[in-house]
Amino acid sequence: MADALRHKHPFIFASVLIGAAAFCPLIPWFWCGIPSGHDFEYHLNSWIEVLAQWRQGIIYPHWSALAHFGYGEVRYIFYPPASWTLGAILGAILPWKIVSGAYNWLALTLSGLSMFALARRWTSPTSALFAAVFYAINPYHLVIVYWRSAEAELLAASYLPLLFLFVLELGEDGARVIAPLSLVVAAAWLTNIPTAVMLMYSLGVLALWAAVSQWSWKALPHVAVAIVLGMGTAAIYLLPVLHQHSWVNLRQVLLPGIRPLENFLFTVTRDEDHNRFNRIVSVVALWEIVILVVSLWIAHRRSSKRIWELMLLWGTLSTVLMINFTLPLWNHVPVLEYVQFPWRWLLCLNVVLALVVVFALERWWLRVVICGIAIVSVPFVWHRIQPPWWDTSADIQEMVDNQHDGIGNDGTDEYVPAGADPSDIDQNAPLAMYQGSGTAQISVEKWQSEQRALTVTATSPGNLTMRLFNYPLWLVDVNGHLIQTQSTDNTIQMIIPIPAGRSRIQISWVEGWDRKVGGGISAASVLLLGFLWIRCKHSVHLDTSAKANA
């Protein structure tokens, strides 16, 4: 039955096998708990809050109301929506204690299926399946699962094999590749900014080399159109980011410790915790690079020259950028510094590694040995350098309760209003505090994520200092009149001037023009992509009919 399924429905068979392989990294969770990597709390808190906002009727959240213990931040404007949307969907149908596991399993499975689509184009179905399984559970993916919990980055890994697939098909299919390549570009920007930056530079380098090596520049306009349409499709997210980036402390993402300078392979800093993790990822990277070099050398005689050259180019680019002598490039090449960690290029390197192993090694036992050697690097660093950190179901429930009870979470400094210092906030401050020569009674009628309403009866004019960071997209109405708010000096909290007597105050989030325009650009781009897709399908049909008649 398995053989029949493999031959008649190879994609279904591959899905089952890849899904089973993707489940294997989750087995230790049954005994150890839930890995609580660097970004675990950030992502889980986001998923919980997004689901709560959906239930309030907010389809596309903007303001993370529970970040910084209720002062908020514009997390959902600046952090791409794919990962927090998927996490919230899983949270709506599964218990929160297993949502992280389900998310990781799904991301690993999608990565494997993406590699299967790539490898099947150039190898046998059996070899493609091996490459897919290895890519899904490659050592760096396991580092993300156990130590990093970088959920958006893990999901974005599923797009990179498709990028390589469409670059390889540029010379043959030309304009037919524009639509799917555009979707890959859009998906990357809507999932993870560092991966999108790496994808864009990878696409440019690979496409340029393909054009130069074949002495044909016809593919470059197709790539340019694909990039424009891909960015246009993601404009609903990208345009607000580009317009509002000066309103927040975005440069906080490049503070000491998280800059490229401190994160090249085997870099040593004064922070021992940082050094310990850097050794983990550096050992895994070195292990993979050695296997990649040997496999490329063997594959040179066994694979297509064009494919081998592109694998060599991408593998070399990914390796070199992880070494500290490339620091001038990181400092001067536009937006490359926002990748933050040079070892993130392992995401790209692993596409080449999984593909080249099946080109280089024909015998199954050799493939299993080599891939086993690569994967063994993970338990090696686990036991010799630093084991993962683990949470229990009770820890997860505490996070859920903190969200539901309005206690909130730490938040991230880069998404607070420009000039705000979250370390100076008073976590015990009331939702609204009157300041004036008299006294005031404050009654909070509504306190939702993007809608707040309260009534104040004051004996004299004064100001209300809100437990809320002041952001330009908050609209404040006092007794039916829009008013101009002020901000505290250091924490940039909202200050609302009020008259004596009874005042009704409404604070509402308003959609900026950038989101509306971006949404229009995205809609137009999607329609154009649909038109191109249909036209290309029609062209293929005509070509097939012409060949049949001939």
Side-chain angles (χ1 to χ4, degrees), residues 47 85-96 99-100 102-104 106:
W47 302 345
T85 299
L86 177 58
I89 291 172
L90 293 174
I93 59 179
L94 297 171
W96 284 112
V99 166
S100 176
Y103 181 102
N104 279 268
L106 185 58

Side-chain angles (χ1 to χ4, degrees), residues 240-260:
V241 170
L242 293 173
H243 176 236
Q244 299 180 35
H245 74 275
S246 62
W247 299 357
V248 295
N249 293 328
L250 204 55
R251 293 295 296 182
Q252 293 284 329
V253 300
L254 295 171
L255 287 176
I258 52 177
R259 300 173 299 179

Side-chain angles (χ1 to χ4, degrees), residues 85 238 317:
T85 299
L238 287 174
L317 175 69

Side-chain angles (χ1 to χ4, degrees), residues 132-369:
V133 169
F134 180 44
Y135 180 69
I137 58 173
N138 72 69
Y140 182 59
H141 285 181
L142 299 183
V143 169
I144 295 177
V145 169
Y146 289 119
W147 284 277
R148 298 201 58 229
S149 299
E151 309 295 10
E153 185 177 322
L154 187 63
L155 182 61
S158 63
Y159 311 138
L160 293 171
L162 298 178
L163 170 74
F164 199 57
L165 171 64
F166 297 137
V167 168
L168 288 170
E169 291 182 345
L170 274 171
E172 299 177 10
D173 295 336
R176 296 171 186 170
V177 178
I178 292 177
L181 184 56
S182 298
L183 293 177
V184 170
V185 171
W189 284 109
L190 292 171
T191 303
N192 183 249
I193 293 298
T195 306
V197 173
M198 292 188 294
L199 182 143
M200 296 298 288
Y201 278 113
S202 297
L203 175 57
V205 170
L206 292 174
L208 185 61
W209 178 262
V212 171
S213 62
Q214 297 174 35
W215 292 101
S216 174
W217 303 94
K218 295 180 180 179
L220 293 184
H222 297 150
V223 172
V225 172
I227 290 174
V228 171
L229 286 177
M231 302 280 282
T233 301
I236 190 172
Y237 160 73
L238 287 174
L239 190 58
V241 170
L242 293 173
H243 176 236
Q244 299 180 35
H245 74 275
S246 62
W247 299 357
V248 295
N249 293 328
L250 204 55
R251 293 295 296 182
Q252 293 284 329
V253 300
L254 295 171
L255 287 176
I258 52 177
R259 300 173 299 179
L261 174 64
E262 294 96 358
N263 291 283
F264 290 105
L265 298 186
F266 296 104
T267 297
V268 177
T269 69
R270 296 180 179 180
D271 185 343
E272 184 52 37
D273 289 336
H274 177 279
N275 294 340
R276 195 175 293 113
F277 177 75
N278 191 270
R279 284 197 298 273
I280 289 174
V281 75
S282 296
V283 169
V284 169
L286 181 60
W287 225 296
E288 292 192 11
I289 290 168
V290 170
I291 294 174
L292 177 65
V293 171
V294 173
S295 300
L296 280 169
W297 179 72
I298 298 173
H300 181 54
R301 297 169 295 174
R302 298 182 177 179
S303 58
S304 161
K305 179 182 178 183
R306 181 164 68 95
I307 297 175
W308 186 85
E309 287 179 347
L310 288 175
M311 290 192 301
L312 175 64
L313 177 62
W314 205 12
T316 302
L317 175 69
S318 303
T319 300
V320 167
L321 285 172
M322 290 188 282
I323 304 173
N324 59 7
F325 70 81
T326 60
L327 181 59
L329 290 177
W330 288 89
N331 289 338
H332 299 291
V333 173
V335 304
L336 184 60
E337 62 182 351
Y338 285 100
V339 175
Q340 293 178 299
F341 311 122
W343 38 258
R344 264 186 171 138
W345 279 93
L346 283 167
L347 284 173
C348 299
L349 183 144
N350 277 307
V351 178
V352 180
L353 180 63
L355 195 59
V356 76
V357 164
V358 297
F359 281 130
L361 306 173
E362 295 180 351
R363 296 184 180 275
W364 265 88
W365 68 270
L366 273 177
R367 291 176 179 176
V368 171
V369 168

